[in-house]
Amino acid sequence: NHSLNDRAVGYFSYRRSDVEADTHFEAFRSLKKLRQQVGAFDVGAEFPGLPADASLLDGAAGSQCHHTVVEAVSRQLAFGANVGGQHPHSMASTDVLREARGALGDLLNCEGDEVVFGPSATALVVHVARALGATWSEGDNVVLSIADHDSNVQPWVLAAQRAGCEIRYMTVREDGSLDVDALETLVDDDTRLIACGLASNGTGTIHDCHRISTLKKDALTFFDGVHYAPHNLIDVQALDADFLVVSPYKFFGPHCGALYGRRDLLASLSPDKLRVSDDGLPRDESCYLSRWELGTPSFEALSGATAAVDYLAALGDRFGGITDGGSLTRRDRLRAGFAAIGAHEHLLKRQFLDGVEAVPGLSVYGVSDALDARAATFAVAKDGVAPAALVEHLRARKVYATHGTHYCPALWEALGSSTDVTRIS
């Protein structure tokens, strides 16, 4: 149900004793009564850190871990060992790496050897920026987005400055949507990179990155999927992405980063690495380590990341209408899970935006008339009330939100706002 109106639709069929079943069917439609039944998630008790007496509306800064994630991390910490050994604990750690690559591959729709793990999304962006920047030269240019989290801006700025490249920027329209059309003039034959987020972590606005890929010419794309990943299923193939980064701690997992890179790029670029590290992509002989990964990985974090993906897939079993999950791939189950998440968040977005209209002096940044063009993240301002005071007002009423730049100061400047903004997510 993608209608902007608040409604749900249900159908049933039945047989009357005096009528053939294949000739008589009836259906019904309910506008409001099914609302609490469709897309209604009853999973709060499964998150040990979720407060029972308050509303924790700070998902854009990081999610709570599902209990299966906590258990997976704990098990690995108790029995962990490094890879390369011939004993069961070491071989189990190799399994952790292989399984984590498979899980993130299913989540992003790529092969497991195209997944790179790191301590954070930011660290992975910096790592790739060093390698890509070494291939640039004076006269080249890169195109960045002022709507992005600084982790997908400053690493590219530094790399471009070292190479003597020109830096160009996509700006935003009045409603906070990214002016992707500007790429028609920003991108030329000397453009080496376009870096952009799939969604704004500040306003929740979803960017048209599919169109970016159609306008990139010979440039590579680096997409930041960190804020988008908890809300929508990512498909790097459909995006025609060259690189894409996510953070499992934003979708119920532990703190770590995961990067998709096109296989030929991961194999041909020269990342900073130790001499003793394997120089190939993950495979049996390398114990599933990648040439892009520095040092011993956090096996406990990777165990938790796999559990987080499995939890999202399980939502498809529980709320996505799947009746025979055993015959479906994990990607199929993830697709059903995210469809259920989307239906649930659609109701939340509509209810929030309707409620805002009734609050005098309260305004929302970003897209408000197309629910599919935003995530359930809202930057708000209240006339005459400082963001810190607004957050404290909410906290006193057991509603936990945050304020600040949210690491995208250029976005607020472009929208003519103070760089201190209250965010509810």
Side-chain angles (χ1 to χ4, degrees):
N1 176 18
H2 295 294
S3 168
L4 295 182
N5 298 319
D6 211 7
R7 67 185 182 91
V9 179
Y11 297 97
F12 68 95
S13 62
Y14 65 94
R15 179 177 181 177
R16 281 174 45 182
S17 60
D18 58 338
V19 179
E20 289 296 326
D22 61 350
T23 63
H24 188 84
F25 294 94
E26 289 191 13
F28 75 93
R29 174 177 292 181
S30 172
L31 297 179
K32 291 281 188 179
K33 293 179 182 178
L34 289 179
R35 177 175 173 181
Q36 298 303 320
Q37 300 174 27
V38 178
F41 284 69
D42 184 19
V43 297
E46 299 171 22
F47 291 82
L50 199 63
D53 61 344
S55 296
L56 180 57
L57 304 183
D58 195 23
S63 61
Q64 297 295 296
C65 284
H66 190 253
H67 76 88
T68 56
V69 173
V70 176
E71 291 159 6
V73 171
S74 179
R75 281 196 303 272
Q76 186 59 32
L77 283 171
F79 298 103
N82 211 335
V83 296
Q86 300 305 310
H87 54 86
H89 283 45
S90 178
M91 289 185 282
S93 292
T94 301
D95 291 339
V96 166
L97 273 171
R98 182 178 58 250
E99 291 166 5
R101 296 193 195 284
L104 269 294
D106 288 344
L107 182 70
L108 302 177
N109 195 24
C110 67
E111 297 300 323
D113 65 355
E114 295 179 304
V115 175
V116 178
F117 292 110
S120 66
T122 300
L124 288 168
V125 179
V126 171
H127 196 27
V128 176
R130 288 198 196 103
L132 274 181
T135 69
W136 302 339
S137 59
E138 190 171 348
D140 293 339
N141 67 77
V142 299
V143 181
L144 311 178
S145 162
I146 67 166
D148 272 28
H149 190 292
D150 203 47
S151 65
N152 200 32
V153 178
Q154 189 63 11
W156 304 115
V157 169
L158 295 174
Q161 289 174 343
R162 286 191 292 264
C165 297
E166 179 187 357
I167 303 169
R168 302 173 180 177
Y169 289 94
M170 288 180 283
T171 186
V172 293
R173 302 183 181 93
E174 186 176 347
D175 65 355
S177 60
L178 193 64
D179 186 8
V180 175
D181 293 337
L183 289 178
E184 294 180 358
T185 56
L186 289 172
V187 175
D188 58 30
D189 293 340
D190 295 319
T191 303
R192 296 292 169 257
L193 177 81
I194 303 172
C196 179
L198 299 187
S200 168
N201 73 296
T203 65
T205 300
I206 294 174
H207 303 143
D208 189 359
C209 290
H210 287 89
R211 178 158 166 73
I212 289 175
S213 289
T214 67
L215 297 172
K216 67 180 183 177
K217 295 187 177 179
D218 293 328
L220 298 178
T221 53
F222 192 106
F223 293 128
D224 177 355
V226 171
H227 190 69
Y228 185 90
H231 307 285
N232 298 277
L233 185 60
I234 292 173
D235 187 337
V236 295
Q237 308 305 324
L239 280 168
D240 191 20
D242 297 302
F243 294 95
L244 184 144
V245 70
V246 294
S247 293
Y249 81 94
K250 297 296 178 74
F251 50 84
F252 316 120
H255 281 267
C256 62
L259 170 81
Y260 157 76
R262 225 176 60 211
R263 183 183 290 108
D264 61 312
L265 294 171
L266 293 178
S268 62
L269 289 168
S270 299
D272 290 345
K273 60 181 291 296
L274 301 183
R275 292 174 297 173
V276 294
S277 299
D278 187 88
D279 198 33
L281 298 183
R283 61 200 188 285
D284 283 334
E285 294 80 7
S286 69
C287 299
Y288 290 91
L289 292 168
S290 171
R291 65 196 296 263
W292 287 83
E293 290 163 355
L294 300 172
T296 302
S298 172
F299 297 110
E300 59 272 18
L302 300 189
S303 294
T306 299
V309 174
D310 284 337
Y311 167 67
L312 292 170
L315 293 179
D317 302 334
R318 299 166 62 185
F319 303 105
I322 291 179
T323 57
D324 184 16
S327 65
L328 299 175
T329 67
R330 181 162 46 190
R331 178 73 182 182
D332 292 330
R333 295 168 58 229
L334 284 164
R335 190 176 294 109
F338 274 97
I341 289 172
H344 180 68
E345 288 196 352
H346 188 92
L347 296 177
L348 296 179
K349 290 183 283 188
R350 181 75 274 161
Q351 185 172 354
F352 183 88
L353 291 171
D354 286 346
V356 164
E357 293 180 358
V359 181
L362 189 65
S363 56
V364 179
Y365 297 96
V367 176
S368 60
D369 59 350
L371 298 188
D372 288 340
R374 66 144 52 249
T377 298
F378 304 94
V380 302
K382 173 80 165 152
D383 290 346
V385 181
L390 181 56
V391 167
E392 175 57 27
H393 176 85
L394 293 171
R395 187 201 63 78
R397 288 155 180 79
K398 298 292 186 178
V399 176
Y400 300 158
T402 55
H403 71 96
T405 69
H406 311 296
Y407 304 98
C408 49
L411 172 62
W412 310 121
E413 293 169 2
L415 294 175
S417 163
S418 161
T419 55
D420 188 9
V421 178
T422 301
R423 184 179 66 187
I424 299 171
S425 58

